Amino acid sequence: MNAPEMISMGCRLNIAESETLRQNLAASNIDGDNLVIVNSCAVTNEAVRQTRQAIRRAKKKNPEKNIIVTGCAAQIDPAMFADMPETSAVVGNSDKYDAANFKLGLQSNHPDIRVSDIMEITETAPHMVGAFADRSRAFVEIQNGCDHRCTFCIIPYGRGNSRSVPAGEVVSQVQALVDQGFKEVVLTGVDVTSYGPDLPGEPTLGMLVERILKFVPDLPRLRLSSLDGIEIDDRLFDLLTGEVRIMPHVHLSLQSGDDMILKRMKRRHSREQAITLVAQLKAKRPEIAIGADIIAGFPTEEENMFANSLAIVDQCDIVHGHIFPYSPKSGTPAAKMPQVEGHIVRERAKILRNRVTERAAQWRQSLVGTQQKLLVEMSGDAGYAENFSRVQLDRPAGKGQIVPVEITGMQNKQLIGRVTA
């Protein structure tokens, strides 16, 4: 049987899980030729709207195929997707790894809803351990769910409470991926810095990273996905700043640069804590590139509060910025707060993006003349340095391999590199 077509919305975790799902169904007796699976996103109302659009486009393009919707939006509001005429079935986040649910979804003339109570899930099963979104970097899911309740976020209700993958399972998956030829592994999850308290012995993310590095000595590059800075303990800090096999790229879940807005978001860090953390990271490892998520126009955000978010781009030297215009999500406390007018939200997001773009351009210019190690994409003509800067190559190089490169210049804001070996 062929694997079904997958359409992934939203985060990297969705992309990784879609690959796992595709492989699982390809190994079963599911008729993939007759199936399109949409892995939905629920992070904002806009994300849900885009998911619905993707479903309609998929059906228009493949009118003879069955469309099954899964993922966070399907978990949170299965009835909404079941009511769409394009939909054949809705499968929940904890149900999507059971191929039987996809079979059962195709036996009815009306959309089947196969959605379990995500809050009852207490373990992350081995099938959720590893997946990869492309063939140059591999993604390993070490954790799922979230125990925090930020006022803007609906994701805990789509993913459930935090569950960690046992370290032995993670190490085995990383080793298997290295054996397949992958040179870089990215540890991913919904809230990766919360890894471990639900496991025997309560290991931390730092302890897991130490174990991976020890027991998979032939792994050249280990990268961490988005981190909650308040949960970076001394062990993890020392690894980020002192272990050369961990990439010098830290992406922080900041969300705002203003203390009042952070409190209203129910974030656990302050503005000063974020700035201090970045300063300490860069003092120990100056080449670390900082990324961050920032929400523009959160409810009640005034001009002076927005100014603090704009200033933190420079104060934290953010060169990999994910800027989100706030979009109210039904069912979240923030949706009931006094909203900022839409045109102001969009304008603030534009200003933030421009500031990050300027900062990133200055940073990339500073890399001209330096030597970098590049993981070559499968196209063979570009790749990512350890600091996650993307570099266009002067000539094709080994796909999926790490090559030494001299950064020779910039063209259209894109770094250009010369392969030196």
Side-chain angles (χ1 to χ4, degrees):
M1 294 286 183
N2 293 327
E5 177 183 348
M6 300 294 307
I7 299 175
S8 292
M9 312 297 296
C11 65
R12 291 178 181 174
L13 183 58
N14 256 16
I15 296 171
E17 290 185 348
S18 290
E19 179 62 21
T20 294
L21 182 56
R22 187 190 67 80
Q23 292 181 6
N24 287 351
L25 294 178
S28 70
N29 59 352
I30 294 292
D31 182 9
D33 290 334
N34 190 43
L35 192 60
V36 177
I37 298 175
V38 179
N39 200 0
S40 65
C41 177
V43 68
T44 63
N45 286 346
E46 175 63 18
V48 174
R49 186 187 70 81
Q50 291 177 2
T51 295
R52 288 169 62 87
Q53 282 186 329
I55 293 167
R56 295 188 185 102
R57 284 195 301 266
K59 191 63 176 179
K60 185 176 181 180
K61 179 182 176 182
N62 306 283
E64 75 289 352
K65 293 190 177 184
N66 292 285
I67 310 294
I68 294 187
V69 187
T70 188
C72 290
Q75 177 70 42
I76 292 168
D77 194 352
M80 177 180 67
F81 293 101
D83 286 343
M84 294 182 69
E86 297 86 359
T87 302
S88 298
V90 182
V91 178
N93 256 339
S94 65
D95 311 280
K96 63 188 177 187
Y97 296 102
D98 184 352
N101 283 320
F102 292 87
K103 289 182 187 178
L104 291 170
L106 301 179
Q107 291 178 351
S108 172
N109 293 325
H110 302 284
D112 254 343
I113 296 179
R114 303 289 170 178
V115 179
S116 301
D117 184 351
I118 197 73
M119 294 302 178
E120 293 183 356
I121 306 301
T122 59
E123 294 182 357
T124 296
H127 62 242
M128 302 175 75
V129 173
F132 54 88
D134 56 46
R135 292 185 294 164
S136 61
R137 291 187 297 150
F139 292 77
V140 172
E141 183 179 339
I142 65 168
Q143 178 274 343
N144 207 321
C146 185
D147 290 337
H148 310 302
R149 296 296 182 264
C150 297
T151 59
F152 57 84
C153 186
I154 198 72
I155 296 305
Y157 303 98
R159 292 282 181 177
N161 295 318
S162 183
R163 293 103 60 201
S164 307
V165 179
E169 296 281 359
V170 176
V171 170
S172 296
Q173 180 67 18
V174 173
Q175 183 63 68
L177 291 164
V178 170
D179 291 343
Q180 292 175 40
F182 288 97
K183 306 297 183 185
E184 180 175 311
V185 166
V186 183
L187 301 185
T188 188
V190 174
D191 181 21
V192 296
T193 32
S194 69
Y195 177 88
D198 55 314
L199 295 175
E202 299 188 0
T204 63
L205 177 59
M207 294 168 68
L208 174 66
V209 169
E210 285 178 338
R211 188 164 179 175
I212 293 170
L213 295 173
K214 177 179 179 180
F215 291 104
V216 193
D218 46 349
L219 170 67
R221 292 165 59 142
L222 182 65
R223 195 180 299 274
L224 306 181
S225 63
S226 184
L227 303 176
D228 191 340
I230 201 69
E231 291 184 321
I232 296 178
D233 60 12
D234 290 345
R235 177 184 252 111
L236 183 57
F237 179 90
D238 289 342
L239 288 165
L240 289 168
T241 56
E243 174 53 64
V244 295
R245 293 162 64 198
I246 297 179
M247 297 299 92
H249 167 219
V250 176
H251 192 93
L252 298 172
S253 179
L254 288 184
Q255 309 307 344
S256 177
D258 182 80
D259 282 335
M260 180 57 70
I261 293 297
L262 288 169
K263 288 181 180 179
R264 290 171 180 167
M265 289 178 166
K266 285 197 174 179
R267 300 295 297 169
R268 294 172 297 150
H269 68 273
S270 69
R271 167 190 179 81
E272 188 58 38
Q273 286 173 322
I275 294 171
T276 299
L277 172 62
V278 171
Q280 291 172 339
L281 287 167
K282 284 185 164 287
K284 291 290 293 290
R285 196 176 183 184
E287 71 270 25
I288 284 181
I290 301 298
D293 300 325
I294 302 178
I295 297 173
F298 185 81
T300 75
E301 183 184 74
E302 298 176 0
E303 282 293 340
N304 64 312
M305 299 171 179
F306 169 68
N308 284 333
S309 284
L310 189 61
I312 210 168
V313 172
D314 294 326
Q315 291 165 318
C316 285
D317 194 16
I318 296 168
V319 296
H320 299 298
H322 292 172
I323 309 301
F324 303 92
Y326 174 77
S327 172
K329 179 60 186 172
S330 303
T332 61
K336 299 177 182 178
M337 297 178 184
Q339 304 293 302
V340 178
E341 292 186 29
H343 71 278
I344 296 177
V345 173
R346 293 188 292 273
E347 180 63 21
R348 288 177 181 174
K350 180 180 178 181
I351 293 170
L352 274 170
R353 289 193 189 103
N354 288 341
R355 179 63 62 86
V356 172
T357 297
E358 292 170 3
R359 191 87 193 178
Q362 295 171 5
W363 171 65
R364 284 193 294 268
Q365 187 63 50
S366 74
L367 296 175
V368 174
T370 65
Q371 304 291 322
Q372 302 290 333
K373 295 178 182 178
L374 225 63
L375 177 64
V376 182
E377 295 177 334
M378 299 315 291
S379 63
D381 61 358
Y384 283 90
E386 293 179 336
N387 56 26
F388 208 57
S389 59
R390 190 174 187 276
V391 181
Q392 191 72 33
L393 296 174
D394 64 330
R395 60 181 172 84
K399 299 176 180 179
Q401 301 302 307
I402 297 173
V403 298
V405 168
E406 178 188 357
I407 307 300
T408 58
M410 286 182 63
Q411 184 175 345
N412 298 324
K413 299 182 180 180
Q414 171 76 61
L415 287 173
I416 307 297
R418 178 177 65 86
V419 180
T420 58

